[in-house]
Amino acid sequence: MDKKKLSQLRPLKRELVLIDKRLDKLYERQENVPTVLGKVTGSSRDFPYTEVRTSVLMDEPKEMDEIDKQIRIREKRREQVEKLITEIELFIAGIPDSRDRQIFELIYIDGKKQREVAEKVGYSKGRVSQIISGYLKD
């Protein structure tokens, strides 16, 4: 895990909330798409199977396709964000030392400054920085 990826945890959680709000709006729009009269082509049930055109009520195709496309894009991004959040949280949860794990949680989950965390756990700011560097790749 690198520092840049780890520092994305809080922005990723905010992005997840935004994605959910956008998806809710898209689902709401999807429910309110107007219905139009459309024609479909099929064949008659009996021999000789001749072509038959039937009128049907359907959602407005262009608008519905656009909404579906946006939903797919947002859902795919949501999956990516959830995967990254899980990866980061598993990394933090996998830190064996309780105090070190607490340092990571305070800084990367709660958004505290290293100075604040140092005071809280009884280390110097330099020591907190060393602990973080010990677990992270450059």
Side-chain angles (χ1 to χ4, degrees), residues 8 12 20 37 49 55 61 79 103 108 119 126 136:
Q8 287 293 304
L12 285 169
D20 285 340
L37 196 59
Y49 304 108
S55 296
E79 286 178 27
I103 289 170
Y108 294 105
E119 290 172 11
L136 301 178

Side-chain angles (χ1 to χ4, degrees), residues 2-44:
D2 61 19
K3 203 173 210 176
K4 184 176 180 179
K5 191 176 201 179
L6 194 56
S7 65
Q8 287 293 304
L9 181 61
R10 292 178 69 224
L12 285 169
K13 286 185 175 186
R14 284 191 301 269
E15 183 180 355
L16 197 58
V17 171
L18 292 173
I19 290 170
D20 285 340
K21 286 180 183 177
R22 288 184 183 129
L23 278 170
D24 288 343
K25 286 181 182 178
L26 286 169
Y27 290 134
E28 190 176 308
R29 266 184 64 198
Q30 193 176 40
E31 290 175 9
N32 296 319
V33 171
T35 55
V36 294
L37 196 59
K39 298 252 185 211
V40 292
T41 305
S43 59
S44 62

Side-chain angles (χ1 to χ4, degrees), residues 38-45 49-56 58:
K39 298 252 185 211
V40 292
T41 305
S43 59
S44 62
R45 292 182 184 184
Y49 304 108
T50 56
E51 188 175 287
V52 177
R53 294 179 189 269
T54 307
S55 296
V56 294
M58 57 193 235

